[in-house]
Amino acid sequence: MREREPEKRARGVLKALQQVAKETVLGIGGLREALFVPFLAILTALIISGLFIVISEPVVVSAYANFFQSPGYALSVTLTTLSSAYGALFRGSIGDPKEIYRALVTFSQVGDAAPLRYALYPISESLTTSVPYIFAGLAVALGFRCGLFNIGAEGQILIGGLASVWVGYNITGFPWFIHLPLALVVGALAGALWSAIAGYLKAKTGAHEVINTIMMNYLAFRLSDLLLTDPRLMGRPTGTPMTPQILPTAYLPRLLGSPLRFHAGFFMALGVAALVYWFLWKTTLGFEIRTVGANPDAARYAGMSVAKNFVLAMGLSGALAGLAGANEVLGVTHFVGGGFSPGYGFDSIALALLGKSHPLGVVLAALLFGTLRAGAAKMQILGIPIDIIQILQAMIIMFIAAPALVRLIYRLKVEREVTEVVFTRGWGG
Amino acid sequence: MSVAVHRISRAVFQRERAMGLLFALLGLAIIALFGPSAEPGQQATFVLNFGQAGKTTPIPDLVLPVRGTIYLLGLLALFLAGFQLVRAFKATSLILGGIILLSILAFLIWATRGKSFNLTAMLGHMLLRGAPIALGALSGIWCERSAVINIAIEGMMLSGAFTSVVVASITGNLYLGLLAAILTGGILAALLAVLAIRFKVDQIVAGVVINILAAGATSFLTARVLVENQALNASGTFRPIAIPLLSRIPVIGPVFFETNIIIYSMLFLVGVTHIILFYTRWGLRSRAVGEHPLAADTLGINVFRTRYINVIIGGMIAGLGGTYFTLGSAGRFDELMTAGKGFIGLAAMIFGKWTPFGGFASSLIFGFADSLQVKLGILGVNIPYTAEPLPSEILLMAPYLATMIVLAGVVGRAIPPAADGQPYEKQ
Amino acid sequence: MPPVLELRGITKAFPGVLANDHIDFTLEKGEIHALLGENGAGKTTLMNILYGLYTPDEGEILIRGKKVEIHSPGDAIAQGIGMVHQHFMLIPVFTVTENVMLGVESTNYRVFLNRRQAAERVSQISEQYGLRVDPEAYVQDLPVGVRQRVEIIKILYREADILVLDEPTAVLTPQEVKELFAVMRSLVDEGKSIIFITHKLKEVMEIADRITVLRDGRVVGTTKPQETSLSELASMMVGREVILTVDKKPPRLGEVVLEVKDLRVRDDRGDLAVKGVSFDVRAGEILGVAGVQGNGQTELVEALTGLRPVESGEVHILGGDTTHASPRQILEKGVAHVPEDRQGNGLVLSYPLLDNLVLNTYYLPPFADSIIIQERAIIAAAKERVERFDIRTPSIFVTTASLSGGNQQKTIVAREFSRPIRLLIAAQPTRGLDVGSIEYIHERLIEKRDEDTAILLVSPELDEILTLADRIAVMYEGEIVAILPAEEATREELGLLMAGAKRLPETLTTQPREKEAVTEG
C-alpha cells in the first residue's frame, strides 16, 4: 500500500511533464518532429545524471538513512543538492542574469567594460568551448554520412593540435596572414592523414574502423606522451611535459578583449559547418559519400568506388577533427600539454547523433555541449566531477538512438516511423 | 568484405612478390640491426626455472651465443623471403607471421645480450596479461555467435573492475567482489540486449553508449567517492593457488598450474564455451540464431530469448574479466584502468575466427606483446648502435599496433556469423 | 470426416495493402491442393499465417475439425504442419543432420547432442521417400535441388502430415520437378496432405487434385484440373486475357559487342564459380543464359560489369579490353546493368526517387558542372523519365522504398535506358513482379534489341528465356554446356542441359550460324 502513493505521484509528475512538453515544444508545429525527441532525451538525461549527483552526495545519503524520522529533510536536502548543482551549471555556462544586467547598466552609464566582460565570461566560455565541439561533431557526422563510425576524433584532435602547435612555435619570420593559415592547414592535414589510415585499412582489408580508430587513439596518446616528454622532440627544456608557446603571429584573434577567450575560430567553425553542408548535399563528391553510406552495394553497382570514398570520408573527418585541435591551440591554449583535449572527440559522438548528423543540428548540439561543459567546470567547485558530462552523454545517445524508449517513458504514441541510419555491417565491411 | 576482396586480387601476383621483397628487407634488418650491434662472444641467458617447479624440479638455463643465433634467425627469414619471391606463395600472412616471430626472437635475444632473462616467468606473465583479453574474446563469442555485436566489453570490464573492488573492500570478501563484477557485467549486458534486441538500436551505437556510461560513471564515482574514502578502494588480491603435482612440471607447471582463480576460471571457460557451443543443444540453437534467425524461428526456436541469454552470459564473462585488473593484480581501482583490453579482446575473437580456442590462442599473442613490453622495460633496452634507451612509450604502443596489424591481416578471410549485427524483425 | 485443415475468413492487412481478404480454404486428407496466384496475390501471406509467422486480423483456423490458435511456428509444428519456404530456411554452415534436427534435437542427458541417432533417422527417412542426401554433408556444399530435399526431410522428421510447399519448383530443372512430383505423390499415398503454392499453370494441371486461385488477396474460385483449362486458369489468375507470347521480329545482327574468352571467376568463398566460359553477343540479339540459380550466373554477370575480379580469361566490349576495368569504366562504354537484387544493389531505397534516377550519371553534364550538382537539371530529367517510363509515384521526391516492386524495377529500367547504351546485361529482370510489370519489362527488352542493342539476359525461368532469347546459353556448374538457337531449343533438351545430364559438342556452340547473320542495311 505504501508504495502506491509515490507511484501515483510519479505518474502525476510524468503527466505534468508530458503536458508541459507538449505545450511548449509541440506548439512550434513543423519543428516539432525534429525537436521533440531530442528535447525529451536531454531532459531525461539530466534527470538521470541528477540521480548520480544525488546518490553520491554524502549529506543526501545520510539524510535518506534517517528517511523515516524526517522525510521532509531528506527531500529538501535532495532538492538543495540538485538545485545548487544545476544552478552552478547554469551560472557557469550562461552567467548570473542580475550581474549581467548590472554590468550592462554600468557600461551604458560609465562606459566601463570591465564588469561587463566579467559578467559575460560564462557565455564567452560556453561559446569558446563549443568551437572544438562544432569541428569534432562535424567530423563524426561526416563519417556517419559515409557509414563510418569514427571513434578516433579524440586522437585526431590531439594529432591536429600537435601538428599546428609545431608550426606555431617552430616556423618563424612570417606575418600572421601566412603563419596562422599555415598552422591551421597543417593541423587539418595531420588529422586527415592520421585518420585516413583507418579508412584505408577498412577499404583494403575490411578491418572495422571502430576498433582501428580506438587503437589509434591509444597510439596518439602514447605518441603525444613521447613527443611532450622529450625536450629534443617537442617538450620544454625544463622537462615539464608540454610544448613551447606558439608565436603571436599564429594566434587566432580574441574578439572580446582580454579575460574573455572568445576567438575568431567560432566564426570559422560556423563557416566550415556551412561548407560541409554544401559539400555533402550540393556536390557530386558529397553525393557519392552519402550514397556509399546509405547503400554501399548500390554505390558500387552505380560505378562509385566504395574504397575511395571510405578513405576520402575518413580523411575529411580527420581533417575536421584536426581543425578542432588546431583551433584549441591557436585560439585558446597556445601550447599543447597533458590533458590537451578533455574528451571533445568522445563527446562529439553523442553530439553528432543528437544533431542527426546534419551540420545545422551539429552546430546546435555543439552549442549545447559547450554550454554543458563550461557549466560543468563550475560544478566541479561543488565537488561534482566533470565526468558527469559523460554520463549525461551516454544517456543522450541512448535516448536519441532509441526514440522508442523515450516514447515509452513519456507514454507517447508513435507519430511516424523514421528510418534510422544503420551503421553496423558486421566486421567484414 | 566484398569491397576488399574485389579490389585486391587484380594485383595479387605483383603484391605477393612485393611482400617477398618486404620480407627480405625484414630479414636483412634483423641481421643489420641486431647482429653487429652485439659484442662478439656475448651470450644471452634464458632462465627457465620459476615458481614451485623451479625449486622442486630445476632444469638448466638456456644459454645462446647472441651473434650466431641472430645471424641464424636472419638467414632463416631471408630463406622464407626467397621462397616467397620465387614461388609467389599465396598464404602471405602465414609467412609474415613466421617472419614476425623470427624478428621478435632476434630482438629478445639481442635485448638479453650479456644479461639473463627469465623466460618461464615471461610465459606466465603472457598468460596473465592474456587473461582479460581471452575473457573479452569469450564474451564476444557468446554474444556474436547469436549475432549481437558487443563492442561494450571494455565498458563491462571497467564497471566490473569498479564494483569488484568496492564490494570486496566493504565486505572484506574477494569472492563477493568477484560475484559483484559478474553481476555488473550481466546487468550492463542486459541493457545492451534490451537496446539491441527490443529497441533495435544499432548495436555499435548501443555498445558505445555503454562504454561511455561505464567510463563516465566509474570515473565520476571514483573522483567523488573513492578518493575521499580510500578504505573503499583497497580490496587486496587473489593469491595464486598451486595445483599439487601439475604445478611441478617444468615450464608448463608454473605457467598454467600455479596461478589465481581468475586465470583458472578463464581456462575453464574456454573449454566449457567450446563444449557448449559445439556439443550441446543450446549451442546448436545459439549458432542457428546467429547464422539464420528466421530459419531458427520457423523451427520454433525463440530467437529473442536465445539472444538475451547469450548476451547476458557474455556480459557476465566480461565482468569477470574486469576483476583481472583489480582483484587479480592491482588490488584497487584506477580510472580507465582497462586501457582498451576489451577492444583488443574483440580483435582476438576475430583473429580466432569466433572459436573459443582460437580466441584463447590469439589472446596469448596479445598477452605476449603486452608482457614483452613490460619485461623489456625492466631489461632496459637501447636503440641499436646507440646508448639511447628505447622510450617506454614506443613499447607501450606495441599491443595496439599488434591489434591493428592482426585485424588488417585477417578480416576478410575470417567469416563472422552470417547474421552478426543485424536486429531480428519478427513479422 | 472433417477436412484436415480449414481456413475460414482469414483477413490480413499490411500498411496500404489488404494482403488477405476473407479467405476460405479447405484441405482434404490425402490430396494435393494447389494454391495458384501471381506474385503479390497473397499466397505466401496466407501460408505464413497458417505457419504462425503472421497473426491474422480476422478469421479462424480449424485442424481436423477443431479450432486452433497458431501464434508461432512452434504451435504450427505441434499441430503437424510443416512448410518448405520459398527461400530455404537452411543454415549453410551446418550439416544436413544438424539442420534437420534443429529444434527437435536428439540428446544425451537432455543437454548434449546425439548426432549419430539423428543421422540414422535422416538416413531412414531419406530411404523411405527416395530423398537421396548425405546426412554428414554441409548444406553450403549442396546443389539447390538437394537442399530442397533437406527441407522436405526436415518436415518429415517432425512427423508433419500437413505439408506446405511454397513455390518449390522455382529453383528446379524440369527433370527435378518430375522427381519432386513423384515424391509428392508418394507422400500423399502415405496419407499426408499437401498445399502446393505456385504461379505456374502447367504444373498445377499436372499434379494438383484441386486448385484454388487467389487474386489481389481474394479467392477467385476453386476447381479441378479435369474441369478447367490453361487459358481459363490464366484469366482467373490475372483477371483478364493474358497474351502469353511476345511479338518478336527476327533479329538483325550487327557487330560483336560483347566477347568473352575462357573467363574464370571466383565466388566469395574463393571457389571457382565460372570455369572457362566463352561466348559473344552481337548488336541486335538477345542471348539468354539459362540455368538453375547458383551455377555461376551471378558471378559471371558481376565479372562482366567489373564488380568482381577476373581470375583469368578476357572480356572485350566493343573491341576494347575490359577484363580488369572498373564498373564505372564499363558503364561509360555504354553498358547498362539491371541487377539481380534490385533493392540491395540497384537502388538506394532511402533516397528520393529522383536521386535513384541519376544514380550512375549524377557526375555527368547536365546533372553536374564539374563537382557541383545541378539540381534543376536532375528534377527536369526525373520528371521526364517518370512520365516516359510510366513510373507510378505521387512525386519524384518520395523515398524509393515507398514504391511497389514493379515501379522500383521501372525506375532502374528508366535510369539505364535513358543513357546511350550498346550492351544491356539484365539479371532476372522480372523476378517477383506481377504480370503487368513482366509484360512491360519484356516489351522494353525487345524494343531495345530492335534498336540494335546487344542484350545478355540471365534468367532461371525457362519460359522467359524461351520467349525472349534469340540464342540460348545453358550454364551448369560454372560452365556453358551449350549455346543453341532459340528456335531449335525444347524445354526437354534445355532441362537435361541445365541438369548437367548432357552437353553439346563445342563446335555447335560458339557462333551464330551464318544464315542467321542477316547483315544490317
Side-chain angles (χ1 to χ4, degrees), chain B residues 72-301:
Chain B
L72 187 71
L73 292 172
L75 285 175
L76 252 163
L78 282 177
F79 173 76
L80 281 178
F83 181 75
Q84 177 73 40
L85 271 173
V86 176
R87 300 286 295 273
F89 194 54
K90 273 267 159 65
T92 36
S93 52
L94 205 71
I95 298 202
L96 180 66
I99 295 213
I100 288 176
L101 186 70
L102 290 173
S103 317
I104 290 170
L105 280 177
F107 178 60
L108 200 58
I109 290 165
W110 173 81
T112 320
R113 70 194 187 284
K115 299 174 198 155
S116 95
F117 182 79
N118 194 321
L119 202 59
T120 308
M122 200 194 95
L123 290 179
H125 200 243
M126 166 180 89
L127 183 71
L128 219 58
R129 290 273 173 155
I133 300 172
L135 286 166
L138 286 174
S139 169
I141 289 167
W142 272 92
C143 299
E144 295 203 10
R145 278 289 183 170
S146 59
V148 177
I149 290 182
N150 182 0
I151 204 153
I153 294 169
E154 177 82 3
M156 294 171 184
M157 280 189 174
L158 193 62
S159 311
F162 179 85
T163 49
S164 69
V165 165
V166 173
V167 170
S169 301
I170 292 174
T171 61
N173 186 333
L174 290 173
Y175 292 94
L176 284 180
L178 199 69
L179 196 68
I182 293 171
L183 283 178
T184 310
I187 290 168
L188 285 180
L191 175 62
L192 173 72
V194 170
L195 288 176
I197 300 166
R198 163 89 169 75
F199 290 102
K200 301 186 177 63
V201 173
D202 183 287
Q203 294 175 2
I204 302 247
V205 173
V208 168
V209 165
I210 290 170
N211 282 334
I212 297 179
L213 179 67
T218 56
S219 299
F220 178 85
L221 293 174
T222 304
R224 197 154 155 85
V225 181
L226 295 192
V227 168
E228 285 162 31
N229 308 292
Q230 282 298 330
L232 291 179
N233 195 4
S235 62
T237 54
F238 283 112
R239 304 273 109 223
I241 304 163
I243 294 178
L245 288 178
L246 288 177
S247 62
R248 300 198 176 178
I249 306 167
V251 186
I252 295 171
V255 173
F256 286 100
F257 301 111
E258 195 181 334
T259 179
N260 68 40
I261 181 170
I262 298 167
I263 315 295
Y264 288 130
S265 316
M266 181 269 286
L267 292 171
F268 175 73
L269 282 171
V270 169
V272 167
T273 304
H274 178 81
I275 290 169
I276 291 181
L277 216 45
F278 298 108
Y279 296 99
T280 66
R281 176 157 78 179
W282 181 260
L284 188 75
R285 292 182 173 190
S286 300
R287 287 188 292 135
V289 163
E291 293 286 342
H292 196 335
L294 184 58
D297 196 1
T298 59
L299 296 175
I301 294 168

Side-chain angles (χ1 to χ4, degrees), chain B residues 29-46 64-71 73-74 101-117 119 372 376-377 379-391 395:
Chain B
I30 291 177
I31 294 173
L33 271 180
F34 304 131
S37 59
E39 308 275 317
Q42 255 184 337
Q43 287 184 326
T45 308
F46 290 100
L64 295 170
V66 176
R67 274 198 171 180
T69 319
I70 281 171
Y71 286 139
L73 292 172
L101 186 70
L102 290 173
S103 317
I104 290 170
L105 280 177
F107 178 60
L108 200 58
I109 290 165
W110 173 81
T112 320
R113 70 194 187 284
K115 299 174 198 155
S116 95
F117 182 79
L119 202 59
L372 196 66
L376 288 178
L379 267 182
V381 185
N382 294 344
I383 298 171
Y385 300 108
T386 64
E388 192 74 27
L390 193 62
L395 291 171

